[in-house]
Amino acid sequence: EAEVAQSPRYKITEKSQAVAFWCDPISGHATLYWYRQILGQGPELLVQFQDESVVDDSQLPKDRFSAERLKGVDSTLKIQPAELGDSAMYLCASSSEPTTLKNIQYFGAGTRLSVL
Amino acid sequence: GESVGLHLPTLSVQEGDNSIINCAYSNSASDYFIWYKQESGKGPQFIIDIRSNMDKRQGQRVTVLLNKTVKHLSLQIAATQPGDSAVYFCAERTQGGSEKLVFGKGTKLTVNP
């Protein structure tokens, strides 16, 4: 069964350092999402890509976060500099072309970030 | 604004019982709803979805009910098993906007053997 791959699974860093997360969506999925999930809460969308283009980054803290999907396949989410409040699970999801009828997003296992 | 919430943060049931997990949403313009299951240390896993033109949809041991009058969504799990223990999230999508899903805070289901 095809899965969304994410790495690393865990990342510990000190504040003010740079961190990067990688995501490989399910093959053929044009839409890719990055979410942040704080412990005990639901995922919150950070950025959405359609192929290589950003279609929604309204919740992405652009002063320190950046995301790219250069070839429209895999994607990288970067934080620089990391702050204590960035400690969370970072989830990647992908979907085939969302339609007016459905939008099933398939999630990876996530990267658990701890900022010390 | 968009808001999805859950009535109960935790639910404990006996193995074999039926479980009902509830979700309230505030945006009457939402046209699509989806339930996810998240086990500890894993990403959310799709369970079942429903469009706003439907009242009920059934899957394998799961049923989703949508009451648009009171803006309420529920997930029913039949013959709950220990493997069903997880956090369950509902999410909504608002018609006319982006394809963004807005997630609620989740309900933790514990199944006692």
Side-chain angles (χ1 to χ4, degrees):
Chain A
E1 180 177 298
E3 294 183 343
V4 175
Q6 287 190 250
S7 67
R9 287 296 313 278
Y10 305 93
K11 180 69 177 179
I12 300 173
T13 191
E14 294 182 344
K15 64 179 181 179
S16 80
Q17 295 299 304
V19 292
F21 315 129
W22 177 79
C23 171
D24 191 13
I26 293 173
S27 179
H29 280 193
T31 310
L32 184 147
Y33 311 82
W34 283 102
Y35 288 86
R36 178 169 57 188
Q37 184 177 27
I38 296 171
L39 192 63
Q41 298 185 18
E44 295 180 313
L45 182 69
L46 291 174
V47 61
Q48 176 183 341
F49 288 92
Q50 181 65 33
D51 298 310
E52 68 276 6
S53 300
V54 173
V55 298
D56 186 348
D57 63 355
S58 58
Q59 300 303 309
L60 187 72
K62 299 180 187 64
D63 57 334
R64 298 184 301 107
F65 286 65
S66 64
E68 60 183 17
R69 195 184 183 197
L70 294 177
K71 297 182 179 179
V73 181
D74 59 338
S75 176
T76 302
L77 178 69
K78 297 179 181 178
I79 309 175
Q80 182 174 17
E83 296 181 353
L84 295 177
D86 296 332
S87 295
M89 175 78 87
Y90 290 83
L91 293 162
C92 179
S94 70
S95 66
S96 54
E97 201 80 22
T99 70
T100 55
L101 300 178
K102 295 177 90 66
N103 184 16
I104 299 174
Q105 299 179 19
Y106 297 91
F107 286 81
T111 296
R112 170 72 67 187
L113 174 66
S114 295
V115 182
L116 306 178
Chain B
E2 295 174 317
S3 175
V4 179
L6 297 171
H7 293 304
L8 295 173
T10 61
L11 177 65
S12 184
V13 301
Q14 291 299 123
E15 181 177 0
D17 287 353
N18 296 332
S19 302
I20 299 176
I21 300 171
N22 296 303
C23 177
Y25 65 95
S26 61
N27 196 328
S28 58
S30 293
D31 67 342
Y32 176 76
F33 304 87
I34 190 166
W35 281 98
Y36 283 92
K37 169 188 179 183
Q38 187 173 26
E39 296 175 274
S40 181
K42 297 183 179 180
Q45 176 187 4
F46 167 75
I47 302 174
I48 192 167
D49 58 353
I50 188 168
R51 300 195 301 270
S52 59
N53 62 350
M54 303 170 69
D55 297 323
K56 178 180 179 179
R57 189 155 188 244
Q58 288 185 291
Q60 187 176 14
R61 282 202 305 121
V62 295
T63 300
V64 55
L65 299 178
L66 176 62
N67 186 330
K68 293 181 289 294
T69 302
V70 295
K71 289 182 286 196
H72 183 267
L73 191 69
S74 69
L75 177 70
Q76 300 178 0
I77 304 174
T80 314
Q81 302 168 2
D84 294 327
S85 293
V87 177
Y88 289 80
F89 293 97
C90 67
E92 63 177 328
R93 182 186 69 187
T94 301
Q95 188 176 26
S98 68
E99 303 306 322
K100 181 169 68 175
L101 293 178
V102 177
F103 286 78
K105 289 184 170 59
T107 292
K108 183 177 181 180
L109 174 66
T110 301
V111 181
N112 302 307

